[in-house]
């Protein structure tokens, strides 16, 4: 049994969603699942790290059109992996980068920029 999610999202719509989310939010996390139900451990880890330092942030669930989101995000970050975090329009990284910033004591300042 396989699960093949169908989507009504066209690649241009996904690109616009990504562009708008990055431009309109101070901190945005593109993740698998949503804030209440992260669907992968890396997304859950990234979300938890952000929540330690910020009350206000945006999340975008990429699962409804995963391949289109990967392509759209790669145009901004050069990365295809999920999750991806952007702060003030700049790509910061995935969960491992956030964790390294936290370990170095720099994550709070990075998310506050």
């Amino acid at each position: 049994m396989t699960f093949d999610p169908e989507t009504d999202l066209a690649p241009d719509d996904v690109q616009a969603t990504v562009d708008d989310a990055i431009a309109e939010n101070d901190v945005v996390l593109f993740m698998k699942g949503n804030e209440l139900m992260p669907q992968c451990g890396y997304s859950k880890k990234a979300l938890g790290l952000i929540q330690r330092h910020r009350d206000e942030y945006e999340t975008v669930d990429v699962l409804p059109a995963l391949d289109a989101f990967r392509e759209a995000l790669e145009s901004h970050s050069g990365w295809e992996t999920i999750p991806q975090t952007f702060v003030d329009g700049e790509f910061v990284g995935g969960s491992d980068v956030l964790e390294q910033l936290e370990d170095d004591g720099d994550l709070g300042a990075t998310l506050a920029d």
Side-chain angles (χ1 to χ4, degrees):
M1 181 175 184
T2 61
F3 174 69
D4 296 320
E6 293 183 24
T7 180
D8 293 331
L9 296 172
D12 288 346
D13 293 337
V14 171
Q15 185 70 55
T17 297
V18 168
D19 294 347
D20 291 348
I22 292 171
E24 295 172 2
N25 294 285
D26 294 338
V27 175
V28 59
L29 172 66
F30 294 90
M31 61 184 287
K32 293 179 180 176
N34 59 46
E35 190 172 349
L36 296 177
M37 293 187 61
Q39 297 297 307
C40 83
Y42 298 110
S43 292
K44 184 176 182 179
K45 182 167 70 172
L47 180 64
L49 288 164
I50 291 170
Q51 289 174 328
R52 286 184 192 171
H53 299 280
R54 287 194 64 105
D55 293 328
E56 294 185 25
Y57 54 85
E58 183 66 34
T59 61
V60 177
D61 182 1
V62 302
L63 289 177
L66 182 58
D67 290 339
F69 271 102
R70 283 186 199 277
E71 190 172 313
L73 286 165
E74 187 179 11
S75 72
H76 285 276
S77 66
W79 288 20
E80 290 185 348
T81 57
I82 308 293
Q84 292 191 21
T85 305
F86 291 83
V87 177
D88 293 331
E90 298 292 325
F91 177 59
V92 174
S95 62
D96 291 343
V97 172
L98 295 181
E99 185 174 51
Q100 185 62 53
L101 288 167
E102 178 75 350
D103 291 347
D104 293 344
D106 296 330
L107 185 58
T110 298
L111 294 174
D113 287 342

